């Protein structure tokens, strides 16, 4: 990307309708500012004299009196943390099984949540959940085997595949955190940014297809993930004593991150994009190709869609913005929201466009009340036109018009498929993403024996990649013996169902989800049979234990959201539908009638049908039905040709 733009794409910075305030840092309250001289910024693995204090864009002369902006408690914690280090670094050294409130907030940025077993009564038994960060759901052979080992040695013996294409490892004790984190990092994995107020895992279609559009989407997802990865080193300081274990970044990522031609960066900051405060809340990005909606594209803060030319060569991207699932119970001012069309960008500009959107949220998202801090609320408040105008100033160009896309489809990528390079891949359904018991043992044996890489899907399933054709039969046999069946042997209701982990470990859960959905699906299948629905007919059912919507229930045909013990939202609506239901519609009998006796009549009717975007058979049936109706109503139309003439407003068909 260059900093000089053609006149057609130039943004006029003095747009009188849009005013962007310079970002001068988020100031602490007066009561807290006094404390910053005490121990606000200790550095864990460096001398105390090298403290890095809050930095921001240069302060411009004040032209008006500014009032102090109210901020949430988490914003204060972030500001005083020395870039997500303090007090977590000290809390990890104590003998207590848990960490304090501030450290609980900060450890999220490192990819972990503090939890306790809510099934147990009495003193809380604390543990930690770790979530990996796997752009596109890609998992190397080495990393899979490491995660499998860690689940047994330090977790609760199970691995969980998430709805954002990552692993979750539950039950890790505080004393084991550093060992587990170090093992993941040294297996070329990461948990950095899997939680916290920054960009989360970037989704992409998981299928390892050797197709230009799929490969380009996956590369773009990886580049966006790299662009928005924290740079200040707090993660490596904490878990591997500052050792940097990472691969080289693509030059286009480095260039885009460092570019400050439109005022996006904090100069001389360890975090050029995030600054000391990072983002107001979590931020989610997904990349996909036309028709493949395995990523639930409209539920993300940014949805990126590859646009290719007629030869299949990627040319650019359509961008959606403002999606998000989370809400608060019984608070109507919070809501799930679908993304809106922002515009189109050429492929070489995608990183700059994404960065501009992130910075717009960083500068303008609410930091006083975390219930309203997601970007969806900013766009809902501003409207898409104002949001687009502000983003364009950070982007440095006008967005081009959104390109037309075909209809979206859900693609599970389950079963056996050709990769396109001579190899095969096999997508396996995993109920609610929980890998345990014999399934876990068998998967490990196969992945280890055949040295397979894997992919995690956004529907909590797993794909085995790079399989030689000669291995298909023994792998299929081994999988079947472990209960990992091909999709045709799995209930269609289970194929599309999802549930979050919920109880007993998630601190936000109100009721059951993962442990409750098997019984829910059985009851729904019984209802299907009772009313005469076919086995292969299905609906998308998703269950979450709270309104945060981790399993994206608001996008389901039947979404159950926990709102109390053994209680879910939605009952009143379901009751209303039940009361209106008049039973299954009787199927219309189909008769294979031969409508045309000669070619000439067929061609004449077909030409007339095209005037109404129909085919000859559709028009003929319509003519016959209307003719019969006219006779029954006593209108006395005497011939079908007159009926056809009135339908298509053309001369009647010659006899």
């Amino acid at each position: 990307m260059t900093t000089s733009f053609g006149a057609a794409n130039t943004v006029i910075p003095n747009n009188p309708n849009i005013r962007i305030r310079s970002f001068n840092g988020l100031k602490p309250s007066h009561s807290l500012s006094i404390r910053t001289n005490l121990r606000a910024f200790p550095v864990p693995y460096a001398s105390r004299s090298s403290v890095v204090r809050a930095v921001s864009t240069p302060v411009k002369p004040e032209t008006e009196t500014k009032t102090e902006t109210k901020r949430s408690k988490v914003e204060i914690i972030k500001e005083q943390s020395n870039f997500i280090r303090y007090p977590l670094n000290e809390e990890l050294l104590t003998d207590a099984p848990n960490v304090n409130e501030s450290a609980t907030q900060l450890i999220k940025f490192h990819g972990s949540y503090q939890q306790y077993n809510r099934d147990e009564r009495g003193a809380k038994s604390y543990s930690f959940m770790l979530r990996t960060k796997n752009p596109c759901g890609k998992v190397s052979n080495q990393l899979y085997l490491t995660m499998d080992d860690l689940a047994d040695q330090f977790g609760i013996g199970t691995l969980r595949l998430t709805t954002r294409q990552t692993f979750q490892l539950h039950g890790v004790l505080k004393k084991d955190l550093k060992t587990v984190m170090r093992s993941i990092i040294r297996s070329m994995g990461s948990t950095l940014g899997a939680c916290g107020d920054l960009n989360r895992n970037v989704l992409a279609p998981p299928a390892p297809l050797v197709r230009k559009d799929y490969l380009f989407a996956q590369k773009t997802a990886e580049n966006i993930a790299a662009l928005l990865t924290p740079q200040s080193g707090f993660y490596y300081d904490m878990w591997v004593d500052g050792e940097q274990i990472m691969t080289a970044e693509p030059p286009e990522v480095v260039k885009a991150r460092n570019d400050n031609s439109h005022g996006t960066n904090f100069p001389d900051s360890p975090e050029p994009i995030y600054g000391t405060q990072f983002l107001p809340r979590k931020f989610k990005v997904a990349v996909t190709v036309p028709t493949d909606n395995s990523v639930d594209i409209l539920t993300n803060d940014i949805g990126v869609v590859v646009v290719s030319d007629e030869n299949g060569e990627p040319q650019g991207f359509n961008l959606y913005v403002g999606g998000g699932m989370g809400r608060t119970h019984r608070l109507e001012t919070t809501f799930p929201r679908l993304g809106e069309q922002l515009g189109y960008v050429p492929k070489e500009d995608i990183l700059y466009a994404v960065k501009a959107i992130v910075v717009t949220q960083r500068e303008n998202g609410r930091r006083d009340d975390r219930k309203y801090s997601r970007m969806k609320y900013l766009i809902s408040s501003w409207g898409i036109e104002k949001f687009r105008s502000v983003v364009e100033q950070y982007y440095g160009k006008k967005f081009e018009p959104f390109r037309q896309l075909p209809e979206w489809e859900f693609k599970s990528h389950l079963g056996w498929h050709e990769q396109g390079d001579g190899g095969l891949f096999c997508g396996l359904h995993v109920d609610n993403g929980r890998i345990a018991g014999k399934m876990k043992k068998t998967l490990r044996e196969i992945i280890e024996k055949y040295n397979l890489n894997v992919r995690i899907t956004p529907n909590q399933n797993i794909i085995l990649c790079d399989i030689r054709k000669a291995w298909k039969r023994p792998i299929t046999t081994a999988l079947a013996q472990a209960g990992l069946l091909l999709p045709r042997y799995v209930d269609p209701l289970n194929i599309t169902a999802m549930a979050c982990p919920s109880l007993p470990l998630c601190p936000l859960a109100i009721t059951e989800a993962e442990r409750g959905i098997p019984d829910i699906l059985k009851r729904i299948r019984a209802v299907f049979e009772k009313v005469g629905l076919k086995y292969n007919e299905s609906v998308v059912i998703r269950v979450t234990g709270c309104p945060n919507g981790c399993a994206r229930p608001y996008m389901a045909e039947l979404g159950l959201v926990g709102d109390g013990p053994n209680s879910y939202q939605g009952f009143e609506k379901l009751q209303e539908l039940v009361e209106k239901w008049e039973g299954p519609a009787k199927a219309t009998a189909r008769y294979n009638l031969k409508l045309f006796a000669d070619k000439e009549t067929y061609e004449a009717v077909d030409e007339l049908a095209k005037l109404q975007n129909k085919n000859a058979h559709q028009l003929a049936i319509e003519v016959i039905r209307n003719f019969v109706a006219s006779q029954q109503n006593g209108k006395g139309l005497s011939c079908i040709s007159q009926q056809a003439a009135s339908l298509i407003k053309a001369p009647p068909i010659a006899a």
Side-chain angles (χ1 to χ4, degrees):
M1 178 179 178
T2 60
T3 55
S4 60
F5 308 108
N9 288 326
T10 301
V11 173
I12 301 174
N14 296 321
N15 184 339
N17 298 319
I18 304 297
R19 184 165 174 248
I20 304 178
R21 293 182 290 104
S22 61
F23 186 67
N24 298 322
L26 293 161
K27 302 175 183 177
S29 64
H30 295 298
S31 60
L32 286 170
S33 63
I34 297 173
R35 298 174 54 201
T36 57
N37 291 326
L38 299 178
R39 289 172 59 198
F41 302 116
V43 178
Y45 303 112
S47 69
R48 297 297 170 101
S49 62
S50 61
V51 166
V52 179
R53 294 191 178 276
V55 294
S56 65
T57 50
V59 178
K60 296 182 179 179
E62 298 285 352
T63 56
E64 59 186 58
T65 303
K66 293 186 177 180
T67 58
E68 194 74 24
T69 303
K70 180 184 175 183
R71 292 183 293 151
S72 70
K73 184 186 297 185
V74 176
E75 291 298 315
I76 307 298
I77 291 171
K78 288 188 290 185
E79 182 182 64
Q80 296 186 344
S81 71
N82 186 18
F83 294 99
I84 319 300
R85 293 177 173 88
Y86 174 81
L88 176 61
N89 56 326
E90 295 187 355
E91 284 291 302
L92 290 174
L93 299 176
T94 70
D95 292 330
N98 62 315
V99 297
N100 67 19
E101 181 182 359
S102 295
T104 299
Q105 294 298 328
L106 297 179
I107 201 170
K108 296 177 184 178
F109 290 76
H110 296 259
S112 179
Y113 284 96
Q114 181 169 273
Q115 301 178 334
Y116 61 92
N117 191 331
R118 296 174 63 188
D119 282 345
E120 296 178 359
R121 296 295 176 261
K124 294 179 179 178
S125 55
Y126 287 100
S127 65
F128 292 79
M129 179 272 281
L130 272 63
R131 182 184 296 151
T132 59
K133 201 169 183 183
N134 309 89
C136 319
K138 291 184 177 181
V139 180
S140 70
N141 178 270
Q142 179 187 2
L143 180 58
Y144 184 91
L145 298 178
T146 296
M147 296 301 298
D148 183 81
D149 287 336
L150 293 174
D152 291 337
Q153 295 175 28
F154 301 102
I156 59 174
T158 67
L159 276 175
R160 194 170 196 287
L161 313 177
T162 78
T163 59
R164 290 201 71 80
Q165 299 184 277
T166 64
F167 287 116
Q168 281 187 184
L169 186 63
H170 291 271
V172 179
L173 300 179
K174 190 179 90 171
K175 66 182 180 65
D176 297 322
L177 273 174
K178 192 165 185 177
T179 299
V180 174
M181 288 286 201
R182 185 187 295 117
S183 297
I184 293 172
I185 294 168
R186 288 183 172 164
S187 295
M188 304 311 293
S190 177
T191 65
L192 173 59
C195 322
D197 299 344
L198 70 175
N199 179 56
R200 301 292 185 87
N201 196 51
V202 181
L203 303 187
L209 295 170
V210 183
R211 266 177 44 178
K212 291 178 182 178
D213 53 351
Y214 273 81
L215 293 174
F216 193 61
Q218 290 158 2
K219 179 186 176 185
T220 300
E222 291 172 324
N223 284 351
I224 292 172
L227 173 73
L228 300 177
T229 294
Q231 300 295 300
S232 53
F234 63 82
Y235 181 68
Y236 298 99
D237 282 350
M238 198 73 68
W239 307 112
V240 289
D241 301 332
E243 181 183 355
Q244 296 288 322
I245 304 176
M246 58 174 59
T247 56
E249 293 182 318
E252 62 266 31
V253 172
V254 177
K255 182 180 178 183
R257 182 190 296 121
N258 293 337
D259 180 82
N260 196 29
S261 56
H262 301 289
T264 54
N265 289 17
F266 295 94
D268 304 317
S269 170
E271 292 290 353
I273 295 178
Y274 289 126
T276 58
Q277 302 300 130
F278 288 77
L279 297 179
R281 277 297 297 273
K282 58 187 174 184
F283 198 90
K284 297 182 177 180
V285 181
V287 185
T288 193
V289 301
T291 75
D292 189 336
N293 198 25
S294 57
V295 300
D296 268 338
I297 191 73
L298 297 181
T299 66
N300 293 271
D301 292 86
I302 304 178
V304 181
V305 185
V306 175
V307 176
S308 302
D309 62 19
E310 60 275 7
N311 298 317
E313 290 289 341
Q315 299 298 306
F317 301 90
N318 278 341
L319 295 177
Y320 295 98
V321 290
M325 293 284 95
R327 46 177 287 276
T328 302
H329 265 327
R330 299 176 183 87
L331 190 60
E332 296 302 318
T333 51
T334 65
F335 44 81
R337 190 178 191 276
L338 296 181
E340 295 184 63
Q341 297 179 4
L342 183 68
Y344 169 89
V345 297
K347 60 184 180 182
E348 62 271 13
D349 286 353
I350 184 59
L351 297 179
Y352 299 88
V354 167
K355 182 180 174 184
I357 297 167
V358 170
V359 170
T360 300
Q361 164 66 354
R362 181 195 75 194
E363 300 291 280
N364 300 282
R366 287 182 60 172
R367 294 181 183 266
D368 60 326
D369 189 337
R370 290 176 66 81
K371 291 191 297 294
Y372 305 101
S373 293
R374 290 290 298 276
M375 194 173 76
K376 64 182 178 181
Y377 295 112
L378 176 64
I379 296 177
S380 179
S381 172
W382 277 5
I384 192 65
E385 295 302 328
K386 178 178 178 180
F387 183 83
R388 182 184 293 113
S389 296
V390 174
V391 173
E392 285 173 341
Q393 295 188 50
Y394 288 119
Y395 173 41
K397 293 183 180 182
K398 290 283 188 183
F399 288 105
E400 297 179 32
F402 199 85
R403 303 297 198 258
Q404 186 174 356
L405 294 173
E407 290 292 319
W408 292 107
E409 301 173 11
F410 169 69
K411 296 183 184 293
S412 70
H413 302 297
L414 297 181
W416 287 95
H417 303 272
E418 298 272 355
Q419 289 185 173
D421 59 358
L424 303 173
F425 72 87
C426 182
L428 301 170
H429 173 73
V430 180
D431 279 337
N432 307 308
R434 182 67 71 185
I435 299 178
K438 188 174 182 181
M439 176 197 300
K440 180 172 176 293
K441 181 176 182 291
T442 301
L443 276 176
R444 185 200 172 89
E445 289 173 350
I446 292 171
I447 291 167
E448 189 169 29
K449 178 179 180 180
Y450 297 100
N451 194 32
L452 304 180
N453 298 316
V454 307
R455 305 272 178 100
I456 302 171
T457 83
N459 243 54
Q460 304 173 295
N461 297 319
I462 192 168
I463 295 175
L464 307 181
C465 308
D466 309 313
I467 301 172
R468 295 180 186 176
K469 292 182 179 179
W471 300 342
K472 180 178 179 180
R473 183 181 294 274
I475 287 176
T476 300
T477 302
L479 291 172
Q481 291 172 347
L484 285 158
L485 305 176
L486 294 178
R488 65 176 176 271
Y489 300 118
V490 180
D491 190 321
L493 290 174
N494 291 65
I495 291 288
T496 55
M498 288 201 296
C500 70
S502 194
L503 296 172
L505 292 175
C506 179
L508 302 176
I510 302 170
T511 190
E512 299 285 358
E514 179 188 309
R515 296 193 301 192
I517 196 173
D519 185 58
I520 291 172
L521 294 176
K522 289 177 184 176
R523 293 167 66 185
I524 292 173
R525 172 54 65 195
V527 172
F528 268 46
E529 294 172 354
K530 182 177 180 180
V531 301
L533 290 172
K534 296 179 181 178
Y535 179 78
N536 61 358
E537 293 182 280
S538 182
V539 294
V540 176
I541 301 162
R542 296 176 179 174
V543 183
T544 60
C546 83
N548 285 305
C550 292
R552 303 189 287 274
Y554 309 109
M555 295 296 289
E557 291 167 293
L558 178 59
L560 302 176
V561 179
D563 69 350
N566 301 314
S567 174
Y568 301 88
Q569 287 196 335
F571 179 77
E572 292 81 5
K573 185 65 178 178
L574 289 172
Q575 188 69 28
E576 177 186 331
L577 293 171
V578 168
E579 290 173 354
K580 292 180 179 179
W581 191 59
E582 298 177 352
K586 293 182 179 179
T588 304
R590 295 180 179 272
Y591 299 97
N592 295 321
L593 300 177
K594 188 174 182 180
L595 298 177
F596 301 99
D598 60 273
K599 181 180 179 182
E600 291 75 20
T601 303
Y602 172 82
E603 291 177 345
V605 174
D606 193 53
E607 285 299 316
L608 295 173
K610 288 178 181 177
L611 298 175
Q612 288 194 359
N613 294 320
K614 300 173 182 175
N615 60 40
H617 284 82
Q618 290 172 328
L619 180 59
I621 289 294
E622 192 170 341
V623 168
I624 292 170
R625 284 176 177 165
N626 286 340
F627 172 72
V628 171
S630 68
Q631 293 298 307
Q632 291 172 339
N633 294 333
K635 294 183 179 179
L637 288 179
S638 60
C639 69
I640 293 177
S641 62
Q642 289 175 312
Q643 182 72 4
S646 66
L647 278 171
I648 61 178
K649 298 181 181 178
I653 303 169

